[in-house]
Amino acid sequence: MCDDRLFTVSEIRDCERFTMEKRGISSLELMEDAGRACADALAETALHFDTENVYIYVGTGNNGGDGVVMAAHLLEDPFVQYNIYVVVCAPENARYSEEMQYQLKRWQKLENKKDNAYLICYSADNQPQPTKDDLIVDALFGIGLNKPVTGFYADVIRHINASDAYTVSIDTPSGLFADQSTPENGAVVMADKTFSIQFMKTAFLLPQNYPYYGEVEVVDIGMEAPDSLRDTDRYLLTASEMRKLLRPLPKYAHKGTFGHGLLVAGCDRMPGAAGLAAKAAMRGGIGKLTVHTVRSVRNILAVSLPEAIHSIDDNEQVVSHIDWNHLPENITAVAFGPGLGTAKQTVAAMKDILDTVKLPLIIDADGLNMLAENKTWQAFLPPNSILTPHFAEFERLAGKPSDDFDRLERAKAFAQLYSVILVLKGHHTVVTFPSGRQFFNTTGNAGMATAGSGDVLTGLILSLLAQGYEPGKAAVLGVWLHGAAGDAYARDNDPRTLIASDLPQYFPEAIEELRIRGYDEWAMKNDECDDE
């Protein structure tokens, strides 16, 4: 994968230094860029509010300086008619950064000239009282925080959180750690919106932090990364990157061009999972699909999905054995797990697959549960197998994490240890490669948290894998398209009404988002992203 990198705090500092050196500017000038961009973003946000007062809470460091610059630009904007209050929050004997000292002097001059500019020194006896009609800007701390917020600043944060005012945080909510788990004993601002300067932060992609960051808007200030950070450990999956992966359709293609997948799925108790995965595989562009399942499921599929080929297990209730001699010879990928159950006969069938299959392999659902119950089998997974667990399934595979960052580290360790591609499903599904690189999805919505959604994803990835996409590319492209289909549904309907069988119907819209005029010729020349 190529870009949309998620940097650590240390790497962002490197970007700041590189940008200043390349552009020949000082930290004050970079602060000016950040404050102006955030002021513009706040002015846009404020259009949705009937407000008269903006309270900007600033600390003594450079994040506070960003806040004062914001205040100055808002004050000078002819379209902004607010009362601007800069609320300086500093305990006794606090040390101010040089940049912050400069910005405060600048604000004091503006205060003397403008009748809507105010400076408040926060204390227990001097606290502003924003109402629900006001706006609060949190510019207390930035991304450099390395210890929990307690004492004086914890009191300030509790004061902000107690307000009914709409709260916007600059770069990160004060008290929240950007690239590691935030200690539970520290206070954190609960923002309604966060202006993340230049780069998305990993913390904003994890469910444990959602109560704090709210809606995230990345604010561009023209910061650049040095060549030394060309490669990093974490990335975002975006349309621009996925567009490079989607293959053009050959003019003289036939069904054999697009591969032949084998889906092992379903039992008499859970017939639906096989149908969902099979429909997704067909709608995803696969040339041919064989479904190995029990007779009762086959009878349903024969009517609901006549395009599929059927292989019927000898057992009437559960999948027990796959007779490879009676399957087509041209199978190019295998998926195992949806709706299978964990009967001992099915466990034996999975062991046979691990011993036999040398093709690209996807394991989902009950296949993952079997792996969790037979952990020694994990060492026999074919390299670059794709595993698609949700949080609970992954916990059974790799142990209970202490927090969301620990879960990411466990995913990385698991993928590296077993040389597999791990698709950890969630609101921001994370795909971890054997190299340890992690890719966070940017499509999808809460309506997709519904039974069968994961079966659809398995079928879609199988489709891409069978078509010849390398395993890593199949995983990330499948995850992105799956989420984009959910988003396409939500554009037409309330997302809470979504059911899994809706998703394949929206694959065409998801794929269309990646197509551009002259696409076929362009894509042929731009297959630049290497698999891992």
Side-chain angles (χ1 to χ4, degrees):
M1 302 302 299
C2 297
D3 209 342
D4 289 297
R5 293 160 287 185
L6 289 165
F7 290 125
T8 64
V9 171
S10 175
E11 289 170 335
I12 292 173
R13 296 303 189 212
D14 289 342
C15 293
E16 291 172 349
R17 286 188 288 269
F18 175 77
T19 300
M20 289 187 288
E21 291 173 5
K22 182 177 179 180
R23 292 167 53 187
I25 62 174
S26 66
S27 58
L28 266 176
E29 290 170 301
L30 188 64
M31 180 180 288
E32 185 74 19
D33 291 341
R36 183 190 305 109
C38 288
D40 291 343
L42 185 69
E44 188 71 24
T45 297
L47 292 175
H48 303 287
F49 296 89
D50 184 15
T51 187
E52 295 182 357
N53 304 308
V54 177
Y55 294 86
I56 303 179
Y57 289 72
V58 299
T60 59
N62 283 2
N63 193 247
D66 293 340
V68 181
V69 174
M70 271 187 74
H73 279 282
L74 287 170
L75 199 64
E76 294 165 359
D77 187 334
F79 298 102
V80 173
Q81 302 297 324
Y82 312 128
N83 296 312
I84 310 294
Y85 297 84
V86 170
V87 185
V88 179
C89 303
E92 191 175 353
N93 299 321
R95 296 177 61 185
Y96 292 77
S97 71
E98 290 183 12
E99 292 85 352
M100 180 57 177
Q101 291 179 53
Y102 174 87
Q103 299 299 351
L104 275 179
K105 291 176 182 176
R106 173 188 181 186
W107 181 255
Q108 287 168 336
K109 292 178 182 177
L110 286 171
E111 185 186 22
N112 293 330
K113 296 178 180 178
K114 303 279 189 175
D115 59 6
N116 61 333
Y118 304 91
L119 182 66
I120 299 174
C121 293
Y122 182 97
S123 69
D125 299 324
N126 189 30
Q127 298 177 356
Q129 299 298 323
T131 71
K132 63 180 179 61
D133 296 322
D134 299 327
L135 288 176
I136 286 177
V137 175
D138 154 39
L140 295 173
F141 300 110
I143 59 174
L145 197 69
N146 57 14
K147 61 182 180 180
V149 177
T150 58
F152 172 84
Y153 283 112
D155 291 339
V156 176
I157 289 174
R158 282 190 284 268
H159 164 76
I160 292 173
N161 289 343
S163 168
D164 291 329
Y166 188 89
T167 301
V168 175
S169 287
I170 304 305
D171 213 13
T172 187
S174 293
L176 186 71
F177 288 18
D179 60 4
Q180 58 182 301
S181 187
T182 302
E184 294 183 0
N185 63 329
V188 182
V189 168
M190 300 181 73
D192 297 290
K193 189 169 189 175
T194 299
F195 292 149
S196 186
I197 295 176
Q198 195 63 52
F199 305 110
M200 178 64 77
K201 313 300 189 292
T202 301
F204 303 157
L205 302 168
L206 303 178
Q208 72 180 46
N209 296 325
Y210 181 66
Y212 306 112
Y213 58 77
E215 179 188 355
V216 178
E217 178 180 340
V218 177
V219 177
D220 185 1
I221 66 167
M223 197 158 30
E224 300 179 55
D227 287 343
S228 60
L229 295 180
R230 183 181 301 275
D231 296 319
T232 188
D233 291 335
R234 292 173 179 161
Y235 299 79
L236 295 171
L237 296 181
T238 61
S240 61
E241 292 303 309
M242 295 303 97
R243 188 169 290 123
K244 299 174 184 178
L245 300 188
L246 186 66
R247 291 179 171 184
L249 294 177
K251 182 175 181 178
Y252 295 103
H254 53 81
K255 60 187 176 183
T257 305
F258 302 116
H260 189 160
L262 172 64
L263 172 65
V264 184
C267 67
D268 63 340
R269 293 187 303 107
M270 294 180 287
L276 290 167
K279 181 67 173 290
M282 296 300 300
R283 187 64 73 183
I286 199 170
K288 292 186 285 186
L289 176 70
T290 293
V291 183
H292 182 83
T293 189
V294 298
R295 186 175 300 277
S296 60
V297 176
R298 177 263 184 190
N299 292 340
I300 296 171
L301 286 176
V303 176
S304 64
L305 193 67
E307 297 89 349
I309 303 166
H310 304 114
S311 169
I312 304 174
D313 200 272
D314 294 336
N315 192 298
E316 290 291 327
Q317 282 78 43
V318 297
V319 168
S320 62
H321 175 67
I322 301 168
D323 188 348
W324 299 98
N325 293 323
H326 287 81
L327 288 174
E329 295 182 357
N330 61 344
I331 287 173
T332 50
V334 178
F336 181 93
L340 282 173
T342 56
K344 62 181 180 180
Q345 301 97 317
T346 311
V347 174
M350 180 173 184
K351 183 62 167 64
D352 178 58
I353 280 185
L354 292 179
D355 290 341
T356 305
V357 171
K358 306 303 180 187
L359 297 167
L361 176 63
I362 306 166
I363 300 177
D364 182 34
D366 288 316
L368 298 169
N369 293 329
M370 294 179 219
L371 273 183
E373 290 296 320
N374 301 274
K375 285 190 166 55
T376 57
W377 293 3
Q378 295 172 10
F380 298 96
L381 290 166
N384 287 315
S385 293
I386 301 173
L387 277 61
T388 59
H390 54 58
F391 282 4
E393 289 166 341
F394 183 61
E395 188 174 310
R396 290 192 283 272
L397 285 171
K400 186 176 179 63
S402 58
D403 53 61
D404 286 350
F405 278 96
D406 183 41
R407 184 181 289 108
L408 292 178
E409 291 304 313
R410 287 172 183 263
K412 181 177 178 179
F414 190 95
Q416 290 178 317
L417 178 61
Y418 297 113
S419 295
V420 297
I421 295 159
L422 191 75
V423 178
L424 186 56
K425 295 180 291 193
H427 185 81
H428 292 290
T429 292
V430 183
V431 182
T432 305
F433 282 15
S435 65
R437 287 185 178 181
Q438 295 181 311
F439 300 85
F440 291 71
N441 193 33
T442 57
T443 59
N445 57 75
M448 298 176 70
T450 184
S453 180
D455 302 320
V456 173
L457 176 62
T458 294
L460 179 54
I461 295 176
L462 172 63
S463 180
L464 297 169
L465 205 56
Q467 291 173 60
Y469 284 85
E470 295 170 0
K473 293 179 180 179
V476 295
L477 183 57
V479 163
W480 190 93
L481 288 170
H482 180 255
D487 290 339
Y489 176 92
R491 285 194 290 269
D492 297 334
N493 311 275
D494 189 311
R496 77 192 76 202
T497 66
L498 185 149
I499 58 176
S501 57
D502 293 323
L503 290 170
Q505 300 175 51
Y506 284 87
F507 285 177
E509 289 188 37
I511 292 171
E512 187 62 26
E513 288 188 45
L514 301 183
R515 295 184 61 82
I516 59 175
R517 185 174 297 177
Y519 166 75
D520 285 356
E521 292 76 15
W522 177 88
M524 290 284 193
K525 300 175 183 177
N526 287 273
D527 187 15
E528 300 173 350
C529 296
D530 294 331
D531 202 15
E532 308 229 356

